[in-house]
Amino acid sequence: MSARQELITKYAADLKDKCGVTPNMDLLTKVTIGCGPSIYNADASTVAGTQQSELDTVKKNFLIKKLGLKDSPELNAAIASVLDQYGKSNKHKYRAVVYYLLTVHFKKESIYK
């Protein structure tokens, strides 16, 4: 099994066990690929949910640039909701999982078709 496939399996387990979501594996794979090499870097592969600069990066680089959403308070609320769903006590929130949940939240799966 490739390193990327191992990570996708880990992300799917997080979605199921920590978020209560049965993942669409095709979408999860595409979101993971979209994260690029960051998934292999210990620091870049996770989202620091308590750092405002990290939350701004998720909003600006993913929600606005990648998903094409307009900047609004709804974006911050969605990020907070997804991080809460992932579990506040969970220190390792994988970027690919957060991006997957945000993609589904905003019904932007078509971006990855």
Side-chain angles (χ1 to χ4, degrees):
M1 186 182 296
S2 72
R4 181 171 67 201
Q5 192 56 48
E6 287 178 19
L7 289 171
I8 292 169
T9 301
K10 185 190 305 186
Y11 301 153
D14 263 22
L15 281 163
K16 191 174 280 186
D17 301 338
K18 296 178 182 172
C19 303
V21 172
T22 300
N24 171 329
M25 292 306 291
D26 186 49
L27 178 62
L28 179 59
T29 299
K30 290 176 180 176
V31 169
T32 301
I33 291 169
C35 289
S38 70
I39 62 172
Y40 304 108
N41 178 297
D43 185 49
S45 68
T46 58
V47 172
T50 57
Q51 291 182 353
Q52 189 58 47
S53 62
E54 179 73 21
L55 301 177
D56 290 343
T57 298
V58 170
K59 181 168 85 168
K60 191 168 61 180
N61 292 347
F62 184 70
L63 294 178
I64 295 172
K65 286 184 180 177
K66 178 69 178 176
L67 298 187
L69 300 168
K70 300 279 186 240
D71 193 1
S72 72
E74 182 186 358
L75 301 185
N76 293 329
I79 293 168
S81 172
V82 160
L83 293 177
D84 193 46
Q85 180 181 3
Y86 207 154
K88 289 200 182 286
S89 63
N90 178 20
K91 292 181 182 175
H92 299 288
K93 294 176 178 69
Y94 292 107
R95 185 170 305 279
V97 173
V98 171
Y99 286 6
Y100 175 92
L101 291 169
L102 287 167
T103 300
V104 172
H105 175 85
F106 286 107
K107 297 177 177 37
K108 290 290 191 174
E109 296 91 338
S110 62
I111 298 243
Y112 290 100
K113 298 288 181 208

PDB file of all heavy atoms in Angstrom, residues 71-110:
ATOM      1  N   ASP A  71     -16.015  35.654   0.892  1.00  0.00           N
ATOM      2  CA  ASP A  71     -15.694  35.857   2.300  1.00  0.00           C
ATOM      3  C   ASP A  71     -16.928  36.351   3.045  1.00  0.00           C
ATOM      4  O   ASP A  71     -17.592  37.287   2.613  1.00  0.00           O
ATOM      5  CB  ASP A  71     -14.558  36.883   2.430  1.00  0.00           C
ATOM      6  CG  ASP A  71     -13.962  36.909   3.836  1.00  0.00           C
ATOM      7  OD1 ASP A  71     -14.417  36.130   4.698  1.00  0.00           O
ATOM      8  OD2 ASP A  71     -13.037  37.701   4.068  1.00  0.00           O
ATOM      9  N   SER A  72     -17.262  35.668   4.120  1.00  0.00           N
ATOM     10  CA  SER A  72     -18.416  36.049   4.937  1.00  0.00           C
ATOM     11  C   SER A  72     -18.263  35.408   6.315  1.00  0.00           C
ATOM     12  O   SER A  72     -17.470  34.475   6.487  1.00  0.00           O
ATOM     13  CB  SER A  72     -19.716  35.569   4.282  1.00  0.00           C
ATOM     14  OG  SER A  72     -19.829  34.161   4.385  1.00  0.00           O
ATOM     15  N   PRO A  73     -19.026  35.891   7.288  1.00  0.00           N
ATOM     16  CA  PRO A  73     -18.977  35.283   8.621  1.00  0.00           C
ATOM     17  C   PRO A  73     -19.372  33.803   8.599  1.00  0.00           C
ATOM     18  O   PRO A  73     -18.969  33.034   9.463  1.00  0.00           O
ATOM     19  CB  PRO A  73     -19.985  36.102   9.434  1.00  0.00           C
ATOM     20  CG  PRO A  73     -20.096  37.408   8.714  1.00  0.00           C
ATOM     21  CD  PRO A  73     -19.860  37.095   7.264  1.00  0.00           C
ATOM     22  N   GLU A  74     -20.135  33.397   7.586  1.00  0.00           N
ATOM     23  CA  GLU A  74     -20.555  31.995   7.460  1.00  0.00           C
ATOM     24  C   GLU A  74     -19.346  31.062   7.314  1.00  0.00           C
ATOM     25  O   GLU A  74     -19.368  29.923   7.779  1.00  0.00           O
ATOM     26  CB  GLU A  74     -21.489  31.838   6.259  1.00  0.00           C
ATOM     27  CG  GLU A  74     -22.015  30.424   6.096  1.00  0.00           C
ATOM     28  CD  GLU A  74     -22.825  30.231   4.820  1.00  0.00           C
ATOM     29  OE1 GLU A  74     -23.033  31.192   4.066  1.00  0.00           O
ATOM     30  OE2 GLU A  74     -23.234  29.081   4.588  1.00  0.00           O
ATOM     31  N   LEU A  75     -18.280  31.551   6.676  1.00  0.00           N
ATOM     32  CA  LEU A  75     -17.087  30.724   6.496  1.00  0.00           C
ATOM     33  C   LEU A  75     -16.444  30.409   7.846  1.00  0.00           C
ATOM     34  O   LEU A  75     -16.079  29.263   8.110  1.00  0.00           O
ATOM     35  CB  LEU A  75     -16.082  31.409   5.566  1.00  0.00           C
ATOM     36  CG  LEU A  75     -16.553  31.754   4.158  1.00  0.00           C
ATOM     37  CD1 LEU A  75     -15.400  32.301   3.332  1.00  0.00           C
ATOM     38  CD2 LEU A  75     -17.187  30.566   3.470  1.00  0.00           C
ATOM     39  N   ASN A  76     -16.318  31.421   8.687  1.00  0.00           N
ATOM     40  CA  ASN A  76     -15.750  31.201  10.029  1.00  0.00           C
ATOM     41  C   ASN A  76     -16.633  30.256  10.841  1.00  0.00           C
ATOM     42  O   ASN A  76     -16.122  29.395  11.562  1.00  0.00           O
ATOM     43  CB  ASN A  76     -15.573  32.526  10.775  1.00  0.00           C
ATOM     44  CG  ASN A  76     -14.517  33.409  10.143  1.00  0.00           C
ATOM     45  OD1 ASN A  76     -13.561  32.920   9.558  1.00  0.00           O
ATOM     46  ND2 ASN A  76     -14.702  34.708  10.241  1.00  0.00           N
ATOM     47  N   ALA A  77     -17.940  30.430  10.716  1.00  0.00           N
ATOM     48  CA  ALA A  77     -18.877  29.572  11.445  1.00  0.00           C
ATOM     49  C   ALA A  77     -18.750  28.117  10.973  1.00  0.00           C
ATOM     50  O   ALA A  77     -18.801  27.191  11.791  1.00  0.00           O
ATOM     51  CB  ALA A  77     -20.305  30.069  11.262  1.00  0.00           C
ATOM     52  N   ALA A  78     -18.578  27.922   9.677  1.00  0.00           N
ATOM     53  CA  ALA A  78     -18.438  26.567   9.133  1.00  0.00           C
ATOM     54  C   ALA A  78     -17.147  25.920   9.616  1.00  0.00           C
ATOM     55  O   ALA A  78     -17.140  24.739   9.985  1.00  0.00           O
ATOM     56  CB  ALA A  78     -18.472  26.600   7.606  1.00  0.00           C
ATOM     57  N   ILE A  79     -16.052  26.676   9.636  1.00  0.00           N
ATOM     58  CA  ILE A  79     -14.780  26.143  10.135  1.00  0.00           C
ATOM     59  C   ILE A  79     -14.928  25.735  11.592  1.00  0.00           C
ATOM     60  O   ILE A  79     -14.526  24.640  11.984  1.00  0.00           O
ATOM     61  CB  ILE A  79     -13.638  27.165   9.949  1.00  0.00           C
ATOM     62  CG1 ILE A  79     -13.338  27.379   8.462  1.00  0.00           C
ATOM     63  CG2 ILE A  79     -12.377  26.712  10.687  1.00  0.00           C
ATOM     64  CD1 ILE A  79     -12.429  28.571   8.174  1.00  0.00           C
ATOM     65  N   ALA A  80     -15.534  26.609  12.392  1.00  0.00           N
ATOM     66  CA  ALA A  80     -15.741  26.308  13.814  1.00  0.00           C
ATOM     67  C   ALA A  80     -16.609  25.065  13.988  1.00  0.00           C
ATOM     68  O   ALA A  80     -16.325  24.207  14.836  1.00  0.00           O
ATOM     69  CB  ALA A  80     -16.367  27.507  14.520  1.00  0.00           C
ATOM     70  N   SER A  81     -17.637  24.936  13.172  1.00  0.00           N
ATOM     71  CA  SER A  81     -18.540  23.789  13.245  1.00  0.00           C
ATOM     72  C   SER A  81     -17.813  22.488  12.908  1.00  0.00           C
ATOM     73  O   SER A  81     -17.979  21.467  13.598  1.00  0.00           O
ATOM     74  CB  SER A  81     -19.712  24.010  12.284  1.00  0.00           C
ATOM     75  OG  SER A  81     -20.504  22.849  12.188  1.00  0.00           O
ATOM     76  N   VAL A  82     -16.999  22.518  11.861  1.00  0.00           N
ATOM     77  CA  VAL A  82     -16.258  21.330  11.443  1.00  0.00           C
ATOM     78  C   VAL A  82     -15.233  20.935  12.509  1.00  0.00           C
ATOM     79  O   VAL A  82     -15.091  19.755  12.848  1.00  0.00           O
ATOM     80  CB  VAL A  82     -15.595  21.576  10.066  1.00  0.00           C
ATOM     81  CG1 VAL A  82     -14.465  20.616   9.802  1.00  0.00           C
ATOM     82  CG2 VAL A  82     -16.639  21.493   8.971  1.00  0.00           C
ATOM     83  N   LEU A  83     -14.531  21.923  13.070  1.00  0.00           N
ATOM     84  CA  LEU A  83     -13.541  21.620  14.109  1.00  0.00           C
ATOM     85  C   LEU A  83     -14.226  21.063  15.356  1.00  0.00           C
ATOM     86  O   LEU A  83     -13.698  20.170  16.018  1.00  0.00           O
ATOM     87  CB  LEU A  83     -12.710  22.864  14.444  1.00  0.00           C
ATOM     88  CG  LEU A  83     -11.802  23.351  13.313  1.00  0.00           C
ATOM     89  CD1 LEU A  83     -11.077  24.628  13.733  1.00  0.00           C
ATOM     90  CD2 LEU A  83     -10.811  22.285  12.889  1.00  0.00           C
ATOM     91  N   ASP A  84     -15.412  21.577  15.653  1.00  0.00           N
ATOM     92  CA  ASP A  84     -16.181  21.060  16.787  1.00  0.00           C
ATOM     93  C   ASP A  84     -16.631  19.629  16.513  1.00  0.00           C
ATOM     94  O   ASP A  84     -16.561  18.771  17.391  1.00  0.00           O
ATOM     95  CB  ASP A  84     -17.389  21.966  17.038  1.00  0.00           C
ATOM     96  CG  ASP A  84     -18.052  21.686  18.367  1.00  0.00           C
ATOM     97  OD1 ASP A  84     -17.326  21.560  19.373  1.00  0.00           O
ATOM     98  OD2 ASP A  84     -19.294  21.594  18.400  1.00  0.00           O
ATOM     99  N   GLN A  85     -17.068  19.363  15.291  1.00  0.00           N
ATOM    100  CA  GLN A  85     -17.479  18.008  14.910  1.00  0.00           C
ATOM    101  C   GLN A  85     -16.308  17.038  15.022  1.00  0.00           C
ATOM    102  O   GLN A  85     -16.473  15.893  15.434  1.00  0.00           O
ATOM    103  CB  GLN A  85     -18.014  18.017  13.470  1.00  0.00           C
ATOM    104  CG  GLN A  85     -18.458  16.663  12.976  1.00  0.00           C
ATOM    105  CD  GLN A  85     -18.953  16.701  11.533  1.00  0.00           C
ATOM    106  OE1 GLN A  85     -18.910  17.742  10.873  1.00  0.00           O
ATOM    107  NE2 GLN A  85     -19.438  15.583  11.049  1.00  0.00           N
ATOM    108  N   TYR A  86     -15.125  17.492  14.671  1.00  0.00           N
ATOM    109  CA  TYR A  86     -13.909  16.659  14.721  1.00  0.00           C
ATOM    110  C   TYR A  86     -13.517  16.374  16.171  1.00  0.00           C
ATOM    111  O   TYR A  86     -12.869  15.383  16.469  1.00  0.00           O
ATOM    112  CB  TYR A  86     -12.782  17.382  13.980  1.00  0.00           C
ATOM    113  CG  TYR A  86     -11.723  16.490  13.372  1.00  0.00           C
ATOM    114  CD1 TYR A  86     -10.997  16.926  12.287  1.00  0.00           C
ATOM    115  CD2 TYR A  86     -11.423  15.233  13.870  1.00  0.00           C
ATOM    116  CE1 TYR A  86     -10.012  16.140  11.704  1.00  0.00           C
ATOM    117  CE2 TYR A  86     -10.440  14.442  13.302  1.00  0.00           C
ATOM    118  CZ  TYR A  86      -9.733  14.900  12.227  1.00  0.00           C
ATOM    119  OH  TYR A  86      -8.751  14.120  11.667  1.00  0.00           O
ATOM    120  N   GLY A  87     -13.919  17.270  17.080  1.00  0.00           N
ATOM    121  CA  GLY A  87     -13.645  17.076  18.504  1.00  0.00           C
ATOM    122  C   GLY A  87     -12.621  18.059  19.013  1.00  0.00           C
ATOM    123  O   GLY A  87     -11.473  18.042  18.579  1.00  0.00           O
ATOM    124  N   LYS A  88     -13.044  18.921  19.922  1.00  0.00           N
ATOM    125  CA  LYS A  88     -12.146  19.945  20.461  1.00  0.00           C
ATOM    126  C   LYS A  88     -10.952  19.333  21.185  1.00  0.00           C
ATOM    127  O   LYS A  88      -9.864  19.879  21.159  1.00  0.00           O
ATOM    128  CB  LYS A  88     -12.905  20.891  21.385  1.00  0.00           C
ATOM    129  CG  LYS A  88     -13.862  21.806  20.656  1.00  0.00           C
ATOM    130  CD  LYS A  88     -14.209  22.997  21.502  1.00  0.00           C
ATOM    131  CE  LYS A  88     -15.197  23.902  20.827  1.00  0.00           C
ATOM    132  NZ  LYS A  88     -14.635  24.687  19.757  1.00  0.00           N
ATOM    133  N   SER A  89     -11.148  18.199  21.825  1.00  0.00           N
ATOM    134  CA  SER A  89     -10.051  17.585  22.582  1.00  0.00           C
ATOM    135  C   SER A  89      -9.080  16.825  21.675  1.00  0.00           C
ATOM    136  O   SER A  89      -7.987  16.462  22.103  1.00  0.00           O
ATOM    137  CB  SER A  89     -10.617  16.629  23.633  1.00  0.00           C
ATOM    138  OG  SER A  89     -11.317  15.580  22.998  1.00  0.00           O
ATOM    139  N   ASN A  90      -9.460  16.614  20.427  1.00  0.00           N
ATOM    140  CA  ASN A  90      -8.601  15.913  19.476  1.00  0.00           C
ATOM    141  C   ASN A  90      -7.526  16.871  18.981  1.00  0.00           C
ATOM    142  O   ASN A  90      -7.815  17.832  18.277  1.00  0.00           O
ATOM    143  CB  ASN A  90      -9.454  15.396  18.313  1.00  0.00           C
ATOM    144  CG  ASN A  90      -8.627  14.712  17.261  1.00  0.00           C
ATOM    145  OD1 ASN A  90      -7.505  14.295  17.514  1.00  0.00           O
ATOM    146  ND2 ASN A  90      -9.183  14.607  16.081  1.00  0.00           N
ATOM    147  N   LYS A  91      -6.280  16.610  19.360  1.00  0.00           N
ATOM    148  CA  LYS A  91      -5.190  17.524  18.999  1.00  0.00           C
ATOM    149  C   LYS A  91      -4.760  17.392  17.549  1.00  0.00           C
ATOM    150  O   LYS A  91      -4.231  18.328  16.969  1.00  0.00           O
ATOM    151  CB  LYS A  91      -3.984  17.291  19.912  1.00  0.00           C
ATOM    152  CG  LYS A  91      -4.233  17.708  21.328  1.00  0.00           C
ATOM    153  CD  LYS A  91      -3.003  17.488  22.175  1.00  0.00           C
ATOM    154  CE  LYS A  91      -3.284  17.881  23.617  1.00  0.00           C
ATOM    155  NZ  LYS A  91      -2.179  17.578  24.499  1.00  0.00           N
ATOM    156  N   HIS A  92      -4.949  16.226  16.949  1.00  0.00           N
ATOM    157  CA  HIS A  92      -4.497  15.985  15.582  1.00  0.00           C
ATOM    158  C   HIS A  92      -5.676  16.010  14.620  1.00  0.00           C
ATOM    159  O   HIS A  92      -6.290  14.984  14.348  1.00  0.00           O
ATOM    160  CB  HIS A  92      -3.744  14.658  15.483  1.00  0.00           C
ATOM    161  CG  HIS A  92      -2.527  14.631  16.336  1.00  0.00           C
ATOM    162  ND1 HIS A  92      -1.388  15.338  16.040  1.00  0.00           N
ATOM    163  CD2 HIS A  92      -2.275  14.008  17.507  1.00  0.00           C
ATOM    164  CE1 HIS A  92      -0.483  15.141  16.972  1.00  0.00           C
ATOM    165  NE2 HIS A  92      -0.998  14.342  17.879  1.00  0.00           N
ATOM    166  N   LYS A  93      -5.976  17.200  14.133  1.00  0.00           N
ATOM    167  CA  LYS A  93      -7.052  17.352  13.151  1.00  0.00           C
ATOM    168  C   LYS A  93      -6.398  17.402  11.774  1.00  0.00           C
ATOM    169  O   LYS A  93      -5.779  18.396  11.406  1.00  0.00           O
ATOM    170  CB  LYS A  93      -7.841  18.630  13.433  1.00  0.00           C
ATOM    171  CG  LYS A  93      -8.603  18.590  14.742  1.00  0.00           C
ATOM    172  CD  LYS A  93      -9.279  19.924  14.994  1.00  0.00           C
ATOM    173  CE  LYS A  93     -10.099  19.914  16.256  1.00  0.00           C
ATOM    174  NZ  LYS A  93      -9.313  19.846  17.472  1.00  0.00           N
ATOM    175  N   TYR A  94      -6.534  16.322  11.045  1.00  0.00           N
ATOM    176  CA  TYR A  94      -5.881  16.235   9.744  1.00  0.00           C
ATOM    177  C   TYR A  94      -6.501  17.199   8.745  1.00  0.00           C
ATOM    178  O   TYR A  94      -7.722  17.300   8.636  1.00  0.00           O
ATOM    179  CB  TYR A  94      -5.932  14.804   9.201  1.00  0.00           C
ATOM    180  CG  TYR A  94      -5.095  13.864  10.013  1.00  0.00           C
ATOM    181  CD1 TYR A  94      -5.675  12.929  10.856  1.00  0.00           C
ATOM    182  CD2 TYR A  94      -3.698  13.931   9.962  1.00  0.00           C
ATOM    183  CE1 TYR A  94      -4.899  12.075  11.621  1.00  0.00           C
ATOM    184  CE2 TYR A  94      -2.909  13.091  10.732  1.00  0.00           C
ATOM    185  CZ  TYR A  94      -3.516  12.165  11.563  1.00  0.00           C
ATOM    186  OH  TYR A  94      -2.739  11.336  12.328  1.00  0.00           O
ATOM    187  N   ARG A  95      -5.647  17.907   8.025  1.00  0.00           N
ATOM    188  CA  ARG A  95      -6.068  18.902   7.046  1.00  0.00           C
ATOM    189  C   ARG A  95      -7.019  18.291   6.012  1.00  0.00           C
ATOM    190  O   ARG A  95      -8.056  18.876   5.688  1.00  0.00           O
ATOM    191  CB  ARG A  95      -4.830  19.494   6.356  1.00  0.00           C
ATOM    192  CG  ARG A  95      -5.128  20.627   5.406  1.00  0.00           C
ATOM    193  CD  ARG A  95      -3.850  21.326   4.958  1.00  0.00           C
ATOM    194  NE  ARG A  95      -3.058  21.788   6.085  1.00  0.00           N
ATOM    195  CZ  ARG A  95      -3.291  22.923   6.772  1.00  0.00           C
ATOM    196  NH1 ARG A  95      -4.280  23.704   6.412  1.00  0.00           N
ATOM    197  NH2 ARG A  95      -2.529  23.263   7.778  1.00  0.00           N
ATOM    198  N   ALA A  96      -6.693  17.116   5.507  1.00  0.00           N
ATOM    199  CA  ALA A  96      -7.535  16.490   4.486  1.00  0.00           C
ATOM    200  C   ALA A  96      -8.933  16.196   5.027  1.00  0.00           C
ATOM    201  O   ALA A  96      -9.927  16.340   4.308  1.00  0.00           O
ATOM    202  CB  ALA A  96      -6.885  15.211   3.967  1.00  0.00           C
ATOM    203  N   VAL A  97      -9.032  15.817   6.303  1.00  0.00           N
ATOM    204  CA  VAL A  97     -10.341  15.538   6.912  1.00  0.00           C
ATOM    205  C   VAL A  97     -11.130  16.837   7.062  1.00  0.00           C
ATOM    206  O   VAL A  97     -12.316  16.903   6.730  1.00  0.00           O
ATOM    207  CB  VAL A  97     -10.173  14.821   8.271  1.00  0.00           C
ATOM    208  CG1 VAL A  97     -11.505  14.687   8.986  1.00  0.00           C
ATOM    209  CG2 VAL A  97      -9.527  13.453   8.073  1.00  0.00           C
ATOM    210  N   VAL A  98     -10.468  17.887   7.548  1.00  0.00           N
ATOM    211  CA  VAL A  98     -11.135  19.186   7.702  1.00  0.00           C
ATOM    212  C   VAL A  98     -11.611  19.694   6.339  1.00  0.00           C
ATOM    213  O   VAL A  98     -12.760  20.132   6.195  1.00  0.00           O
ATOM    214  CB  VAL A  98     -10.186  20.212   8.377  1.00  0.00           C
ATOM    215  CG1 VAL A  98     -10.779  21.613   8.339  1.00  0.00           C
ATOM    216  CG2 VAL A  98      -9.888  19.788   9.813  1.00  0.00           C
ATOM    217  N   TYR A  99     -10.761  19.584   5.327  1.00  0.00           N
ATOM    218  CA  TYR A  99     -11.138  20.044   3.991  1.00  0.00           C
ATOM    219  C   TYR A  99     -12.286  19.205   3.429  1.00  0.00           C
ATOM    220  O   TYR A  99     -13.189  19.730   2.769  1.00  0.00           O
ATOM    221  CB  TYR A  99      -9.938  19.999   3.044  1.00  0.00           C
ATOM    222  CG  TYR A  99      -8.905  21.098   3.279  1.00  0.00           C
ATOM    223  CD1 TYR A  99      -8.995  21.974   4.348  1.00  0.00           C
ATOM    224  CD2 TYR A  99      -7.839  21.247   2.410  1.00  0.00           C
ATOM    225  CE1 TYR A  99      -8.046  22.962   4.560  1.00  0.00           C
ATOM    226  CE2 TYR A  99      -6.884  22.244   2.598  1.00  0.00           C
ATOM    227  CZ  TYR A  99      -6.998  23.099   3.679  1.00  0.00           C
ATOM    228  OH  TYR A  99      -6.061  24.080   3.868  1.00  0.00           O
ATOM    229  N   TYR A 100     -12.259  17.912   3.678  1.00  0.00           N
ATOM    230  CA  TYR A 100     -13.346  17.029   3.227  1.00  0.00           C
ATOM    231  C   TYR A 100     -14.673  17.489   3.855  1.00  0.00           C
ATOM    232  O   TYR A 100     -15.680  17.654   3.162  1.00  0.00           O
ATOM    233  CB  TYR A 100     -13.045  15.576   3.616  1.00  0.00           C
ATOM    234  CG  TYR A 100     -14.164  14.620   3.303  1.00  0.00           C
ATOM    235  CD1 TYR A 100     -14.217  13.942   2.083  1.00  0.00           C
ATOM    236  CD2 TYR A 100     -15.190  14.382   4.219  1.00  0.00           C
ATOM    237  CE1 TYR A 100     -15.254  13.067   1.788  1.00  0.00           C
ATOM    238  CE2 TYR A 100     -16.233  13.510   3.926  1.00  0.00           C
ATOM    239  CZ  TYR A 100     -16.256  12.861   2.722  1.00  0.00           C
ATOM    240  OH  TYR A 100     -17.286  12.004   2.434  1.00  0.00           O
ATOM    241  N   LEU A 101     -14.651  17.685   5.172  1.00  0.00           N
ATOM    242  CA  LEU A 101     -15.875  18.086   5.875  1.00  0.00           C
ATOM    243  C   LEU A 101     -16.385  19.445   5.390  1.00  0.00           C
ATOM    244  O   LEU A 101     -17.593  19.645   5.249  1.00  0.00           O
ATOM    245  CB  LEU A 101     -15.633  18.107   7.392  1.00  0.00           C
ATOM    246  CG  LEU A 101     -15.415  16.744   8.045  1.00  0.00           C
ATOM    247  CD1 LEU A 101     -14.935  16.909   9.481  1.00  0.00           C
ATOM    248  CD2 LEU A 101     -16.675  15.892   7.994  1.00  0.00           C
ATOM    249  N   LEU A 102     -15.470  20.372   5.118  1.00  0.00           N
ATOM    250  CA  LEU A 102     -15.876  21.687   4.611  1.00  0.00           C
ATOM    251  C   LEU A 102     -16.435  21.578   3.195  1.00  0.00           C
ATOM    252  O   LEU A 102     -17.417  22.253   2.856  1.00  0.00           O
ATOM    253  CB  LEU A 102     -14.693  22.655   4.648  1.00  0.00           C
ATOM    254  CG  LEU A 102     -14.296  23.136   6.042  1.00  0.00           C
ATOM    255  CD1 LEU A 102     -12.948  23.831   6.014  1.00  0.00           C
ATOM    256  CD2 LEU A 102     -15.368  24.050   6.627  1.00  0.00           C
ATOM    257  N   THR A 103     -15.839  20.729   2.388  1.00  0.00           N
ATOM    258  CA  THR A 103     -16.333  20.523   1.024  1.00  0.00           C
ATOM    259  C   THR A 103     -17.768  20.005   1.055  1.00  0.00           C
ATOM    260  O   THR A 103     -18.643  20.503   0.334  1.00  0.00           O
ATOM    261  CB  THR A 103     -15.425  19.532   0.262  1.00  0.00           C
ATOM    262  OG1 THR A 103     -14.104  20.063   0.215  1.00  0.00           O
ATOM    263  CG2 THR A 103     -15.929  19.287  -1.150  1.00  0.00           C
ATOM    264  N   VAL A 104     -18.025  19.028   1.916  1.00  0.00           N
ATOM    265  CA  VAL A 104     -19.374  18.464   2.037  1.00  0.00           C
ATOM    266  C   VAL A 104     -20.328  19.499   2.635  1.00  0.00           C
ATOM    267  O   VAL A 104     -21.468  19.649   2.177  1.00  0.00           O
ATOM    268  CB  VAL A 104     -19.339  17.166   2.881  1.00  0.00           C
ATOM    269  CG1 VAL A 104     -20.739  16.676   3.191  1.00  0.00           C
ATOM    270  CG2 VAL A 104     -18.537  16.094   2.143  1.00  0.00           C
ATOM    271  N   HIS A 105     -19.861  20.229   3.648  1.00  0.00           N
ATOM    272  CA  HIS A 105     -20.694  21.250   4.309  1.00  0.00           C
ATOM    273  C   HIS A 105     -21.235  22.266   3.296  1.00  0.00           C
ATOM    274  O   HIS A 105     -22.411  22.618   3.335  1.00  0.00           O
ATOM    275  CB  HIS A 105     -19.884  21.973   5.394  1.00  0.00           C
ATOM    276  CG  HIS A 105     -20.615  23.100   6.032  1.00  0.00           C
ATOM    277  ND1 HIS A 105     -21.479  22.927   7.097  1.00  0.00           N
ATOM    278  CD2 HIS A 105     -20.642  24.433   5.748  1.00  0.00           C
ATOM    279  CE1 HIS A 105     -21.988  24.098   7.436  1.00  0.00           C
ATOM    280  NE2 HIS A 105     -21.492  25.031   6.634  1.00  0.00           N
ATOM    281  N   PHE A 106     -20.356  22.720   2.401  1.00  0.00           N
ATOM    282  CA  PHE A 106     -20.763  23.723   1.414  1.00  0.00           C
ATOM    283  C   PHE A 106     -21.283  23.117   0.113  1.00  0.00           C
ATOM    284  O   PHE A 106     -21.527  23.837  -0.848  1.00  0.00           O
ATOM    285  CB  PHE A 106     -19.597  24.682   1.133  1.00  0.00           C
ATOM    286  CG  PHE A 106     -19.355  25.660   2.254  1.00  0.00           C
ATOM    287  CD1 PHE A 106     -18.259  25.527   3.083  1.00  0.00           C
ATOM    288  CD2 PHE A 106     -20.253  26.696   2.504  1.00  0.00           C
ATOM    289  CE1 PHE A 106     -18.035  26.423   4.126  1.00  0.00           C
ATOM    290  CE2 PHE A 106     -20.034  27.595   3.541  1.00  0.00           C
ATOM    291  CZ  PHE A 106     -18.934  27.452   4.346  1.00  0.00           C
ATOM    292  N   LYS A 107     -21.429  21.780   0.078  1.00  0.00           N
ATOM    293  CA  LYS A 107     -21.938  21.074  -1.097  1.00  0.00           C
ATOM    294  C   LYS A 107     -21.139  21.443  -2.354  1.00  0.00           C
ATOM    295  O   LYS A 107     -21.694  21.732  -3.414  1.00  0.00           O
ATOM    296  CB  LYS A 107     -23.425  21.355  -1.284  1.00  0.00           C
ATOM    297  CG  LYS A 107     -24.271  20.844  -0.121  1.00  0.00           C
ATOM    298  CD  LYS A 107     -25.715  21.187  -0.291  1.00  0.00           C
ATOM    299  CE  LYS A 107     -26.622  20.645   0.778  1.00  0.00           C
ATOM    300  NZ  LYS A 107     -26.173  20.600   2.121  1.00  0.00           N
ATOM    301  N   LYS A 108     -19.808  21.402  -2.215  1.00  0.00           N
ATOM    302  CA  LYS A 108     -18.903  21.755  -3.317  1.00  0.00           C
ATOM    303  C   LYS A 108     -18.166  20.523  -3.854  1.00  0.00           C
ATOM    304  O   LYS A 108     -17.095  20.642  -4.422  1.00  0.00           O
ATOM    305  CB  LYS A 108     -17.890  22.805  -2.840  1.00  0.00           C
ATOM    306  CG  LYS A 108     -18.491  24.162  -2.590  1.00  0.00           C
ATOM    307  CD  LYS A 108     -18.886  24.797  -3.896  1.00  0.00           C
ATOM    308  CE  LYS A 108     -19.245  26.257  -3.728  1.00  0.00           C
ATOM    309  NZ  LYS A 108     -19.476  26.885  -5.026  1.00  0.00           N
ATOM    310  N   GLU A 109     -18.773  19.356  -3.705  1.00  0.00           N
ATOM    311  CA  GLU A 109     -18.147  18.136  -4.188  1.00  0.00           C
ATOM    312  C   GLU A 109     -17.831  18.200  -5.681  1.00  0.00           C
ATOM    313  O   GLU A 109     -16.872  17.577  -6.141  1.00  0.00           O
ATOM    314  CB  GLU A 109     -19.043  16.914  -3.903  1.00  0.00           C
ATOM    315  CG  GLU A 109     -19.263  16.625  -2.442  1.00  0.00           C
ATOM    316  CD  GLU A 109     -20.495  17.307  -1.845  1.00  0.00           C
ATOM    317  OE1 GLU A 109     -20.965  18.317  -2.411  1.00  0.00           O
ATOM    318  OE2 GLU A 109     -20.969  16.848  -0.801  1.00  0.00           O
ATOM    319  N   SER A 110     -18.615  18.962  -6.431  1.00  0.00           N
ATOM    320  CA  SER A 110     -18.430  19.048  -7.879  1.00  0.00           C
ATOM    321  C   SER A 110     -17.064  19.625  -8.256  1.00  0.00           C
ATOM    322  O   SER A 110     -16.573  19.383  -9.364  1.00  0.00           O
ATOM    323  CB  SER A 110     -19.535  19.891  -8.517  1.00  0.00           C
ATOM    324  OG  SER A 110     -19.481  21.213  -8.020  1.00  0.00           O
TER     325      SER A 110
END
